[in-house]
Amino acid sequence: PRIEWRPESVVLLPDGDHAVSRGPYRVRSMRDGQPVERWGEFMSIWQRGEQGWQVIYDVAARNDLVPSDAQRALLGKGACIVE
């Protein structure tokens, strides 16, 4: 499968050392020779450290999200991709 995601929003927390990002993700695969696409939402918690920003917690929920046109366009612009 191919997994694509991109933050829709990023919020810096008041302490300045933590942030939360969230947005849509899409998983593309083949089933019985046909393309299948599943959508959901992710949330990542980031912490600033000596090496820069690092993810300290990451969760994704498959909720059969019906993506908006804006979410589809967001993943079309430089999304993170894992294949």
Side-chain angles (χ1 to χ4, degrees), residues 3-5 23-27 38-42 60-62 75:
I3 304 169
E4 304 167 329
W5 71 98
Y25 74 85
R26 170 174 49 198
V27 178
R38 292 188 322 248
W39 286 76
E41 294 182 294
F42 76 89
R62 180 175 171 222
L75 289 188

Side-chain angles (χ1 to χ4, degrees), residues 1-3 81-83:
R2 174 184 171 115
I3 304 169
I81 299 172
V82 174
E83 292 193 68

Side-chain angles (χ1 to χ4, degrees), residues 46-80:
W46 297 77
Q47 182 174 20
R48 185 191 333 240
E50 293 179 16
Q51 304 293 321
W53 288 96
Q54 295 181 318
V55 173
I56 59 172
Y57 183 75
D58 197 28
V59 65
R62 180 175 171 222
N63 56 4
D64 295 323
L65 173 74
V66 176
S68 66
D69 290 341
Q71 288 171 321
R72 286 187 178 278
L74 182 68
L75 289 188
K77 296 185 222 173
C80 301

